[in-house]
Amino acid sequence: FPSECAHFKSILSGSFFRLYYPCQETEKAEKPDWVPCREYFNGLADFMKINRTLSERIFNHLFGSFKIPAYLDAPFKSNGKCPVVIFSHGLGAFRTLYSAICAEMASQGFIVASVEHRDQSASATYYFNAESERANENLPKTSASAQDGLVKEWMYYRALQHGESEFPLRNKQVKQRADECILALDKLTEVNSGRAVQNALKTKFDWTTLENSMDLCRIAAMGHSFGGATVIEALCKEVKFKCGVALDAWMFPLDDETFPRVKQPIFFINSEKFQWAGNISRMKKLDSAVIQRKMITIRGTVHQSFPDFTFLTGNWIGKLMKLKGEIDPQIAIDLSNKATLAFLQRHLGLEKDFNQWDPLIDGQDENLIQGTNVTVLQSSI
Ligand SMILES: CCN(CC)CCN(C[C@]12C[C@](c3ccc(C(F)(F)F)cc3)(C1)C2)C(=O)Cn1c(SCc2ccc(F)cc2)nc(=O)c2c1C=CC2
């Protein structure tokens, strides 16, 4: 058992995230891969309970070559200190699937770390073990590739076992997820101080250019679905998060005791089709007369209107697979991003012009509903 602890210690000491930041235009930079390794498609098949062999090839054929409209490892463009967002992905997702949100935030002057969780809620993720550590842990030799003494190992999505009760698993995961968001923030703080941080990934990006790039008084947490619950858990645990934006939050994993302990403003941006009375009534437990808690619903959206898949298929397939709602995906994500920027300006005290979108925070738009479309029984006082 001790070797098990040592094993997880080495994972937990590391933090894995994709960093989006304002950069200089550079012709020579290539575009980042949307899905960096094929193993992610294996995990996605496991998550969707479909056969790996066939679907991994279909996913790779359909999505394997996609790039995101950004510049890989481009030099940071410093125009003053940037506010920081830590982003948490949903169940079965992973760090790269929310680029339409994270890249837009970066282009508006934020530094965004989209974390990849090691709680087995991601479709797949990988981590590095020092070869030496593996040797004395007498762990089975994996085929994992070794690069300069580091062994890359994959962790796949863990489905709920038959008969296993869901809450204990999800509650343990949401706590680990919050810790991983806090750890990512700690790593960014180290980077901001100019200290050399050991990066297991071989990139030519010069991290020292990020010294003094971050405004560490202006930090927000953001996330989708399970990541929305992670936002609330992270705000509860770490007051450095000044506010949170929860996109179509899934409230199930959270303890009831967590709600009264959250003191920061929260913005719930919901889809029209995903929410249900029980989930909404848990959000309403966070209502407060003194702390700003806001909720809007985007008309014609589904749960998948927030991750990138909503942009990648045609209308028919998209609607059939519930990856698209009735509303144009770009209009929906623009509303979500603008409302988010207005909320962050208000609660991080930014001196930008995002307050132009303040009306969206109160649902003032033909495609928005103030609050929720879900009828909730009279909340128990
Ligand atoms: C039967 C599987 N069953 C697992 C418990 C339910 C599976 N499911 C509905 C899905 C995700 C779906 C999806 C993805 C991707 C394609 C693709 F074809 F485009 F790749 C298709 C179809 C399958 C729609 C959800 O879990 C919904 N959901 C999500 S979806 C986050 C996600 C995952 C993978 C992605 F690629 C993109 C986004 N995140 C959450 O935090 C929560 C929930 C529910 C409660 C909490």
Side-chain angles (χ1 to χ4, degrees), residues 167-241:
F167 180 76
L169 170 66
R170 303 302 179 207
N171 187 252
K172 182 169 175 282
Q173 287 177 318
V174 79
K175 290 185 164 86
Q176 179 178 338
R177 281 164 146 263
D179 291 341
E180 288 172 348
C181 291
I182 295 163
L183 186 59
L185 180 56
D186 293 344
K187 297 290 175 189
L188 288 184
T189 305
E190 281 182 54
V191 167
N192 190 56
S193 72
R195 269 190 52 203
V197 176
Q198 181 203 348
N199 183 8
L201 297 190
K202 297 298 150 228
T203 71
K204 57 185 191 309
F205 180 68
D206 174 6
W207 285 78
T208 58
T209 58
L210 288 174
E211 184 170 2
N212 284 326
S213 62
M214 300 170 215
D215 184 343
L216 296 174
C217 300
R218 294 178 161 138
I219 301 167
M222 216 174 153
H224 171 243
S225 199
F226 201 171
T230 307
V231 164
I232 291 154
E233 187 73 23
L235 261 58
C236 178
K237 287 185 161 193
E238 180 52 78
V239 292
K240 286 178 196 161
F241 292 116

Side-chain angles (χ1 to χ4, degrees), residues 44 47-49 59 90-93 97-98 157 225-226 250 274 303-304 307 309 321 323:
L44 203 52
F47 170 63
M48 294 166 68
K49 301 188 179 88
F59 281 143
L91 185 71
L97 294 185
Y98 297 87
Y157 173 73
S225 199
F226 201 171
W250 181 46
F274 178 72
H303 202 46
Q304 295 305 317
F309 275 108
M321 295 180 72
L323 294 171

Side-chain angles (χ1 to χ4, degrees), residues 13 34 54 65 70 134 163 203 288 296 307 372 380:
S13 66
W34 182 52
L54 188 67
S65 58
R134 285 188 54 77
T203 71
S288 158
I296 59 172
T372 179
S380 53

